Amino acid sequence: MTGKSLHPATLTAQALGWTDASTGAVILPVHTATTFVRDPDNQYRRGRGYGRADNPSYDQPQALLTALEGGAASLLFSSGMAAAAAVFESLGRDAQIVAPQVMYWGLRSWLKNFAEAWGLEVTFVDATSLDALRQAVRPGRTRLVWIETPANPLWSVTDIAGAAEIAHTAGALLAIDSTAATPVLTRPLALGADIVMHSATKYLNGHSDVIAGTLTTAREDALWRRIVAARSGGGAILGSFEAYLLLRGMRTLYPRVERACRSAQRIAEALQAHPRVSSVLYPGLPEHPGHAVATRQMIGGYGGMMSIHVRGGAAAAVAAAAQVEVWKRATSLGGVESLLEHRASIEGADSPAPPDLLRLSVGIEDPEDLIADLATALNLAE
Ligand SMILES: Cc1ncc(COP(=O)(O)O)c(C=O)c1O
């Protein structure tokens, strides 16, 4: 398939329509080889020498992601954290980075505990405010602005086009963790971002059975070449079977995300009316501070992630979580099954997650079952 005139949902369902040239198989084989034969004249004309640098099982998922994001190239990594770390590692020492105060806590804590020790200077800002971003960048000194939108766990929204303009004016690049938005709902590169990262563990795979990460670049420039070298040199590579499972999961990305969005909107509206819920944080609600920007930059839905504030504080939130039966009490997100968690418990002492907050990842079950289960759990926790 050329992909030029086809809807991304079609490209995704058929994984670009690739078939195996030698057998006609509609699913490509999983390549397990760690090494590749040299030509007699000592060259590697087929382009591959060793499995840590390159793996044929990555070609199709990487090409599909590149098509979905509208980028120049993509890389699979062994986890979302490995993908993000490869970007920061590749910036070089003494770089100043701007990052959001509200972001995936694991990456925030890695930036605080490791990146600074390597000589990167990280400035955390309120990334929902373009003024705050503008004040945080230092022209000629800032190398990278990192944003996440919608961002864990408040689902704060950053204006991607505005952030790109600020980063570029300062001579910096914009990288974005688009895990919660997915390529279905947001195309960050078209809005001016330079690099898109996903924890493919979440919606891209969608079945809570693979840990993986991805990066997609707008250009195959010098930084991208350093990132490619960081993956093969550092060795944060995905296994061949995991790459196969990831592609299998990606084929149903569109229907999964579309259903999760529709259910999430319905669930958010229902929970707003529950007496034990003091507020619902979901970009699809007009009351959410990021609603207007999300409406502008998200396509066809606001995602499957939301959080609720439970009346009665941390104890009431934990007690409600204890009562659910259909929702599973577990961390992570973006799977076909709905998950719920008391975020402050996992993030630890220095967490900015409010103590009364439960994070919800809406799956593809019947939304009325999900609403009834959570409403009962909130009532029982009284
Ligand atoms: C938004 C976001 N970014 C990055 C990560 C890290 O990804 P991984 O767990 O695949 O390393 C996560 C994981 O929860 C996440 O939710």
Side-chain angles (χ1 to χ4, degrees):
M1 291 196 284
T2 64
K4 287 260 180 318
S5 59
L6 294 172
H7 191 280
T10 308
L11 298 178
T12 309
Q14 298 197 1
L16 300 175
W18 289 16
T19 53
D20 182 40
S22 60
T23 63
V26 297
I27 301 297
L28 299 197
V30 177
H31 288 272
T32 54
T34 55
T35 191
F36 301 84
V37 175
R38 268 188 196 274
D39 300 325
D41 60 356
N42 215 30
Q43 303 298 304
Y44 277 124
R45 279 198 194 73
R46 280 166 290 192
R48 298 180 219 270
Y50 185 57
R52 178 155 43 71
D54 204 8
N55 182 332
S57 294
Y58 296 171
D59 293 356
Q60 197 178 8
Q62 289 180 167
L64 175 57
L65 193 63
T66 301
L68 294 184
E69 293 289 4
S74 298
L75 287 172
L76 300 186
F77 287 83
S78 54
S79 66
M81 283 300 298
V87 176
F88 294 111
E89 265 175 55
S90 302
L91 294 174
R93 290 185 68 79
D94 296 330
Q96 191 233 353
I97 298 159
V98 174
Q101 282 158 354
V102 175
M103 67 187 296
Y104 169 58
W105 75 283
L107 185 54
R108 189 183 63 237
S109 111
W110 182 87
L111 285 171
K112 283 187 172 157
N113 297 322
F114 289 91
E116 292 188 344
W118 287 356
L120 300 180
E121 183 192 334
V122 190
T123 308
F124 290 95
V125 292
D126 172 7
T128 64
S129 157
L130 291 182
D131 282 341
L133 276 176
R134 211 171 277 114
Q135 277 164 27
V137 292
R138 290 191 237 147
R141 167 107 175 85
T142 306
R143 295 284 309 282
L144 184 81
V145 176
W146 180 276
I147 60 173
E148 177 181 329
T149 182
N152 264 289
L154 308 181
W155 313 108
S156 318
V157 176
T158 297
D159 178 336
I160 300 170
E165 209 257 322
I166 290 166
H168 295 160
T169 305
L173 298 173
L174 179 71
I176 167 163
D177 180 341
S178 197
T179 299
T182 81
V184 177
L185 303 174
T186 308
R187 308 283 302 278
L189 300 182
L191 296 169
D194 301 287
I195 294 177
V196 183
M197 173 252 159
H198 291 279
S199 166
T201 314
K202 319 298 181 190
Y203 289 99
L204 291 180
N205 177 63
H207 293 76
S208 307
D209 56 5
V210 171
I211 291 197
T214 68
L215 294 176
T216 302
T217 183
R219 293 167 307 278
E220 292 191 81
D221 54 10
L223 176 65
W224 185 251
R225 287 189 287 279
R226 281 173 65 86
I227 291 172
V228 171
R231 185 183 71 171
S232 64
I237 54 164
L238 195 64
S240 299
F241 285 108
E242 284 72 16
Y244 160 76
L245 277 175
L246 173 60
L247 185 66
R248 181 177 158 129
M250 283 174 75
R251 285 171 175 267
T252 55
L253 179 69
Y254 269 78
R256 283 188 287 103
V257 170
E258 284 164 359
R259 182 169 169 96
C261 284
R262 276 199 308 278
S263 295
Q265 186 75 38
R266 167 95 194 77
I267 292 166
E269 287 165 10
L271 289 175
Q272 268 188 316
H274 196 288
R276 306 285 302 167
V277 174
S278 58
S279 70
V280 179
L281 307 178
Y282 182 61
L285 295 174
E287 297 80 7
H288 190 278
H291 180 69
V293 176
T295 301
R296 223 170 42 234
Q297 72 189 14
M298 297 182 82
I299 315 151
Y302 298 90
M305 296 303 302
M306 75 184 73
S307 295
I308 57 174
H309 289 283
V310 180
R311 282 191 210 285
V318 171
Q323 299 290 343
V324 291
E325 290 180 359
V326 180
W327 296 79
K328 300 293 169 252
R329 273 182 309 282
T331 195
S332 201
L333 58 102
V336 290
E337 65 289 298
S338 294
L339 305 179
L340 157 160
E341 76 174 327
H342 181 243
R343 204 55 207 160
S345 296
I346 189 157
E347 295 196 11
D350 70 338
S351 163
D356 61 350
L357 181 136
L358 291 180
R359 187 181 83 173
L360 314 181
S361 169
V362 176
I364 64 168
E365 307 92 332
D366 180 75
E368 302 309 320
D369 283 346
L370 294 171
I371 291 168
D373 187 48
L374 197 50
T376 306
L378 287 160
N379 291 336
L380 287 171
E382 261 188 279

